[in-house]
Amino acid sequence: MSAGPIWYFDTAPAWTEAIRAWAASEPRITRVWVFGSRATGSRTPKESPDPVPDLDVGYTVAPKATDAEESPFTFAMFSEDRWLVRLRAAIPVKVDLQFADPDDVVVWPAIEREGVLIYESVK
């Protein structure tokens, strides 16, 4: 029987704290994970014009209590540029934000497979 995956979590503590501060300042952010190569320790230099390693961050958003018409996905879509400006100013690698929804067939399975939960709202 397998002992399960080994988590490496190749993410600087200062980066984790910056992500937590961002999430805590956004009332609708409910959970945040680091996933991908930084969660598994399999990070390698990318063959691209931009060799800076990235940081994959998945997050969930609570429904807006006062306006049921605005979905979490819509809120995330219109907020993401503002969030990326803040995170990229605080973290010296490329940050890729990914909206995480249990119905998603790409991001959610990656989070379930290798995600490291770094923030959960206590609200």
Side-chain angles (χ1 to χ4, degrees):
M1 178 174 276
S2 173
I6 297 172
W7 302 115
Y8 294 92
F9 197 57
D10 181 21
T11 303
W15 304 355
T16 303
E17 287 307 315
I19 294 167
R20 286 180 182 142
W22 157 72
S25 73
E26 294 291 336
R28 290 185 64 186
I29 299 291
T30 56
R31 291 179 290 170
V32 178
W33 299 265
V34 170
F35 68 102
S37 62
R38 290 198 181 264
T40 64
S42 61
R43 183 171 52 95
T44 60
K46 291 186 176 181
E47 304 252 345
S48 72
D50 181 12
V52 177
D54 60 357
L55 178 62
D56 294 313
V57 176
Y59 62 94
T60 56
V61 175
K64 187 174 180 184
T66 59
D67 183 7
E69 297 300 316
E70 184 184 43
S71 73
F73 176 77
T74 301
F75 174 75
M77 184 175 65
F78 286 107
S79 301
E80 194 167 290
D81 287 342
R82 175 176 52 86
W83 294 341
L84 283 171
V85 167
R86 180 171 172 197
L87 287 170
R88 289 178 177 164
I91 300 171
V93 296
K94 181 182 174 199
V95 176
D96 290 327
L97 278 178
Q98 302 290 331
F99 177 72
D101 183 279
D103 293 330
D104 179 73
V105 297
V106 176
V107 175
W108 195 256
I111 288 172
E112 286 185 318
R113 185 176 56 250
E114 69 219 19
V116 177
L117 183 67
I118 63 169
Y119 173 83
E120 190 162 22
S121 175
V122 293
K123 300 169 194 153

